[in-house]
Amino acid sequence: MTSGTETLAMDGGTPVRNRPWPAWPPPLDPEQRRLLLEVADSGLWGATQGELCEQLAQRYARRSAAGYGVPLGNGTLALFVALKALGVEPGDEVIVPSYTFVACASSVLLAGAVPVVADVDSEHLHLDLAAVRAATTPRTAAIMPVHLAGSPADLDPLLDFAAERGLAVVEDCAQAHGATYRGRPVGGLGDAGTVSFQSSKAMTAGEGGLVLCRSAEVFERAWSLCNVGRRRGGAWYEHPEVGWNLRLTELQAALLLPWLDRLDAELDRRNAFAAAVGDGLRAAGLPVSLVPQPPGTTRDTRHLLMLRFTEPLTAADGEFVIAAAAAEGLPLARGYPPLGTLPAVANSSARVLEAPGAQTAARQVFWLTQSVLMADPAEAADVVAALGRACRALRARR
Ligand SMILES: *Cc1c(COP(=O)(O)O)cnc(C)c1O
């Protein structure tokens, strides 16, 4: 809790908070423990042996109102497989947002296609329709909206545009397990959706992923790509297509299946915490606000809480804020640099467009990760107190 003094913890004052924030992942629940041991004891660890991977894909697809799901090794491969299954060919262009994880570009490169990095909306930081429109060429094959931080991209205008131009839409749902857009679950709204179960995500087995698809044809192709080019229901050594072994394991599915039963409760908890931070920041009058959701958000899953500093920060100011907050016991994370500035992207075949929205966000926006958001909402007061100290110290430095 707040100490009486304004001496910053980094200058020897008492930190706002000494207690740790909740750990991520949360402790195993009894059903995870039971199922994990059952699989371990059975010896049926592979997806071709047991039934849990298939159950996970079916249950997740049903929740997402997508027709089909293909479990696989991670979210990066899920994007790659979705693009390939939708017919994206070498040389095709795929439009991706400028404020996102590197996998959105590297998956496109893996498919031999060209990432076209288009700017995001300067307020909500999701892919911007005007930027997509400007980035579209006759070679554009697909658009990849990302449901950033747990809030859905404003999909309807993007889906209308894609339909008009005959483009595929791959929804990146790596940060949005359980999110809804205009009352409909994400992942089943585009031609394909992708999920990650990597260790930082809202449902995790350390690693893992899923491709969601609407049509049986795309599903069959995605399944084949993940299963060494086999045909579903075909002979074991038939291999009509080129594919790879990209499968999830039954041990991973045993950790993930029970999570579906508690995901909603965790999302509610994070939403309550996020709301308390928003209220606290407003009440304290700090120059920090929550990054708003795009139109159409009906359930934000609060994978990350994105905080925007409303007074312009230099790079050095940003470093100071992070160090000051860390000393007060608040792990504030630096968000994404603009995607097109990463050497992996800048030195590739990618076409990088102007991205003032992502550039400003890289300076002004910081994140709280979901483990902080899993604390009791009353502890949001620590977030506000730590940010208050960092902001006042920043002003005093100027
Ligand atoms: C985590 C993430 C991915 C990649 O998932 P992995 O399972 O780590 O490969 C892709 N896109 C976004 C937006 C992510 O956050």
Side-chain angles (χ1 to χ4, degrees):
M1 290 287 113
T2 29
S3 66
T5 162
E6 261 298 278
T7 309
L8 286 182
M10 72 195 297
D11 296 332
T14 310
V16 165
R17 185 180 172 101
N18 285 314
R19 286 185 290 164
W21 295 94
W24 193 262
L28 290 183
D29 67 35
E31 184 53 17
Q32 281 178 312
R33 198 176 291 275
R34 188 195 67 74
L35 202 55
L36 196 55
L37 262 180
E38 186 182 296
V39 174
D41 284 336
S42 75
L44 305 176
W45 301 342
T48 62
Q49 302 176 293
E51 287 170 1
L52 299 184
C53 288
E54 187 65 32
Q55 278 179 31
L56 172 71
Q58 285 182 14
R59 274 190 67 190
Y60 203 107
R62 215 176 307 129
R63 254 194 86 115
S64 312
Y68 310 90
V70 180
L72 77 173
N74 60 61
T76 306
L77 288 173
L79 290 168
F80 162 71
V81 166
L83 294 169
K84 294 278 287 181
L86 289 168
V88 170
E89 301 273 351
D92 284 352
E93 294 181 348
V94 178
I95 299 174
V96 305
S98 53
Y99 191 79
T100 187
F101 186 58
V102 66
C104 296
S106 57
S107 59
V108 174
L109 293 168
L110 187 58
V114 178
V116 176
V117 184
D119 204 9
V120 293
D121 179 272
S122 60
E123 287 298 311
H124 56 63
L125 309 183
H126 288 62
L127 193 55
D128 178 57
L129 176 63
V132 169
R133 198 182 285 281
T136 303
T137 73
R139 300 177 72 180
T140 309
I143 308 176
M144 188 188 288
V146 175
H147 302 308
L148 182 69
S151 72
D154 187 10
L155 274 184
D156 283 344
L158 290 167
L159 290 172
D160 287 348
F161 178 74
E164 188 187 301
R165 301 295 182 97
L167 310 177
V169 174
V170 176
E171 297 173 66
D172 182 339
C173 313
Q175 303 184 359
H177 310 71
T180 66
Y181 171 71
R182 301 196 187 280
R184 297 168 292 165
V186 300
L189 301 170
D191 298 288
T194 65
V195 182
S196 166
F197 302 120
Q198 182 265 348
S199 50
S200 70
K201 313 295 177 173
M203 282 177 61
T204 178
E207 303 290 352
L210 195 61
V211 179
L212 300 165
C213 14
R214 266 208 318 236
S215 86
E217 190 193 333
V218 173
F219 167 63
E220 300 283 346
R221 293 189 63 181
W223 188 92
S224 180
L225 290 166
C226 296
N227 286 275
V228 288
R230 290 198 173 109
R231 188 166 55 83
R232 220 173 135 77
W236 193 250
Y237 288 130
E238 185 186 342
H239 308 293
E241 306 284 343
V242 174
W244 304 273
N245 175 0
L246 308 181
R247 290 185 293 263
L248 193 75
T249 70
E250 291 286 287
L251 293 156
Q252 289 167 295
L255 286 167
L256 294 167
L257 262 173
W259 213 309
L260 288 171
D261 297 324
R262 61 173 220 248
L263 180 65
D264 287 329
E266 293 180 352
L267 303 187
D268 288 346
R269 188 175 175 94
R270 292 205 288 272
N271 267 299
F273 191 93
V277 172
D279 291 346
L281 290 173
R282 265 190 306 278
L286 296 182
V288 182
S289 59
L290 305 191
V291 169
Q293 295 145 338
T297 302
T298 39
R299 189 180 213 188
D300 186 328
T301 64
R302 299 301 191 187
H303 173 59
L304 305 166
L305 189 62
M306 298 195 293
L307 302 170
R308 174 181 280 120
F309 281 64
T310 51
E311 294 173 358
L313 302 184
T314 63
D317 291 340
E319 296 303 318
F320 175 80
V321 164
I322 286 179
E328 301 299 342
L330 182 67
L332 201 57
R334 207 355 132 220
Y336 294 124
L339 184 65
T341 64
L342 301 178
V345 178
N347 299 333
S348 77
S349 62
R351 196 153 61 81
V352 176
L353 305 173
E354 291 291 301
Q359 270 160 16
T360 308
R363 279 196 310 272
Q364 300 296 127
V365 173
F366 299 81
W367 303 344
L368 293 177
T369 59
Q370 71 194 343
S371 85
V372 170
L373 309 182
M374 291 294 286
D376 189 287
E379 297 172 58
D382 289 348
V383 173
V384 176
L387 289 172
R389 284 200 181 170
C391 289
R392 284 186 293 273
L394 191 62
R395 276 194 181 148
R397 261 162 59 100
R398 286 178 166 163

